[in-house]
Structure formats: C-alpha cells, structure tokens
Amino acid sequence: MQCDRIWRNARLATLAQRRGLGEVQDGVLACRGGRIVFAGVRTDSPSGLDAPDIVDCEGRWITPGLIDPHTHLVFGGDRAQEFELRLGGASYEEIARAGGGIVSTMKATRAASEAELIEAALPRLDALIAEGATTVEVKSGYGLALEPELTCLRAVRELGHRRAVTLRATFLGAHALPPEFAGDPDGYIDHVCREMIPAVTAEGLADAVDAFCEGIGFTPAQTRRVFEAARAHGLPVKLHAEQLSNLHGAALAAEFGALSADHLEHLDEAGVAAMSAAGTVATLLPGAYYFVRETQAPPIAALRAAGVPMALATDCNPGTSPLTSLLLVMNMAATLFRMTVDECLAGVTREAARALGLAAELGTLEAGKRCDLAIWSIERPAELVYRMGFNPLHARVFGGVG
Ligand code: DI6
Ligand code: FE
C-alpha cells in the first residue's frame, strides 16, 4: 500500500477502545491524504506498505493530537487585579455581583477590535498548540451584545486560518447579563434568541450554543429558551452546569441531547442518570475548580459507574481559569479528582472529540480518522499526567503534516 508518510519504531496509545490506552509496542502509523490508513503493530501492517517519507520514532510514544473541548480564548484585557482582590479575601461571586468579573472583561472585549482580539488570543492558542493540541473549542460570551459577539466569533474563525489547528466556535451569548439589560434578564434572553442566534447562524459563525446556568448566570427556564432557539436553528447545545450550585442544568442539557455538560462540581445522582441516558459527555474543568478554590469535586465515581464519558478541558478564561496547558489539566484531574491516567488521556483525546461531536473524525489513532498526532519523548504514558510544568512534546502532526 502506497502512503504519503509512515511513522515506524513507535509506541502507540491508540485510545481506540473504551478501556485502557490501546497500547501498541513496535507500532507503525501510516498516513495518506491527511488520514490515518493504518495504526497498529508492525507485524500486522498491510503488505507493501511504503511511503516516500518514513520517520523513525526511536521508540517515542504517539497519541492522538490533544483536544481542548472548552475554552474562552477570545477576550480583551485580563483579571490579574481581581485575582489580587480574591487573594485579599473577596469571593468570585462577590466580585461578580459588585460589577467586576465577567462584566469587566466584557468592557475590555467591547473596546478591542477584531484584530486586537486575535492578537491577544494567539499566544494563548500557541501555548495549547505547543503541547500538542490539534483541536480547540472557543466560545464567545464576552461581547454580550450582537455586534461584539459577532466580532468574537469572527475572530475565532480567523484564528483557525492563522494556525494549523481545528477550531470549533461556540456561541455563548447567555454568559452574563450585560448592563444594558440590568434587571431584565428575560429581555436579554429574548434578544439572544430572537436576534443573536439567527444572526450568528446566518453568518455560519457557530458550531454549537452554550449558556451559563447558575445563580450569577441564567435560570433553567431561561436556559431552556436558549436551547429551544438553538434547536430551531439546527445547532447542538452544551451547558455550563452545576459549577457553583445545583440548578439541575445537566438534566436540562441531557433533555436537549446536549453534546456535553461542563463543570458539574454540584451534580447530583439524577443529573448523572440523565446524562448517562442521553449520552451527554461530562466535560470536567479542574483548572477552574483549583483556581476558585472549590472544595466539592465533581462526582467522578458516580459518573464512572454510570458510564458517562468524561472529557477534560482548560476552560481557559480570564476569571476562573487562566490556564493554557492540557498537560497540567491532566495532572490536576488526577490529583484533585482522582481520575486514572487512562481516563485523563482519554479525556483530552477520545472523549474530548465526543464532546465536540467529532468522534467519527478525531480523538483516536484508527484508520479513517484525521492524522492529527502528538509524538512524545517519554518512556510511559503516565509521564504525561505525572509531571507538572514540563512539556515532553517531540513533534506535532496536523492532518498528516508537521
Ligand atoms: N464559568 C466560568 O468559570 C467562566 N464562565 C463561566 O460561565 C468564568 C468567566 C469569567 O469569570 O470571566
Ligand atoms: Fe467556561
């Protein structure tokens, strides 16, 4: 079989089965037309497998390219000053209620041009890429009015042209109440549903719709209306649910067949059961848990027992998770949430792909999938989870190139 490129003398973590890493010693991976055509043991490779470009991996490990399925990479300004206030004792919710928090980032975001938003986001995207990320989800949600939200989503599309990475854009208009609608959250939700979602869809700017269902965000009834508008426009949904309190948002998301429900620290048994029945992925965000010094961890054991797929993400945002490292996310998921090495690696590959509705295309090393790879100078996969602040990436391959 003639291919474009072959990686040999590699060890593979294919992530192809639900259990384990799908480890292959003396592995070979072949690519043609940007797709994997073979990934497995050398002695099983198709006869006559050949390519003009053969890479000797010298025993290095190949995993699927990493996937970050929940970020807010596009925003203006930063919140270092708010961080100092929190160090002085103020809580995240107190700061949000006092007009800081998300609304302060909204002001800086509205003040920035699309070009400035792109320039600000690029170093964050590059940090993810430098650790082997090949797919990243990016939400809007700091514009909180029609034009600035469109600007943020256009910035996401442009970022995808600037770098060799797959970006998925999510519309998060229902992130916080903008000052123009103070005291009238239902009026803002009307605006989100009747003006913003149609405009975003008309320009093809979003791949999904998200909302922040929380005491300092929107109620389940308001979230339901956003989901109904998304459904009417043919867009899948996901939800920030049960982060600071239990409003039963995950069950609502499951009712709408959501791709994922995210955060979930305060998820209860009924929420777990609803997600399990709907096949909704639990996207866990240990960076936010750590940064707001949350003490209640998501119900990992219950999610595991119910077979709910668990993805991991940075939640990169200026307020609760100024984090751009999927390697550190894995370490935090293991230490703070007691997830296993296998779960952590699946969380940033196979299950992250599922959380984006891209499981057929990405997330495992299997014939037919896109040839997005991360090649690591490590002796065993556990090193990717075990080390802190160290990047053993040797090479990154995007669509067979790199
Ligand atoms: N949950 C979060 O953790 C972020 N957004 C959300 O819905 C926080 C966003 C911020 O504080 O800027
Ligand atoms: Fe978030």
Side-chain angles (χ1 to χ4, degrees), residues 70 72 79 82 92 101-103 105 142 172 175 211-213 240 243 263 285 288 292 315 317-321:
H70 180 144
H72 309 246
R79 303 250 286 282
E82 173 183 315
Y92 176 67
I102 295 177
V103 170
T105 299
Y142 288 112
L172 178 58
H175 192 195
F212 187 27
C213 185
H240 284 72
Q243 180 186 7
H263 284 290
L285 309 171
V292 303
D315 194 19
N317 78 73
T320 61
S321 191

Side-chain angles (χ1 to χ4, degrees), residues 4 13 66 72 79 97 99 101 119 135 176 197 294 338 364 368:
D4 302 329
L66 304 191
H72 309 246
R79 303 250 286 282
R97 290 190 197 282
E119 286 309 310
T135 300
I197 289 177
E294 174 65 61
R338 304 258 176 258
T364 66

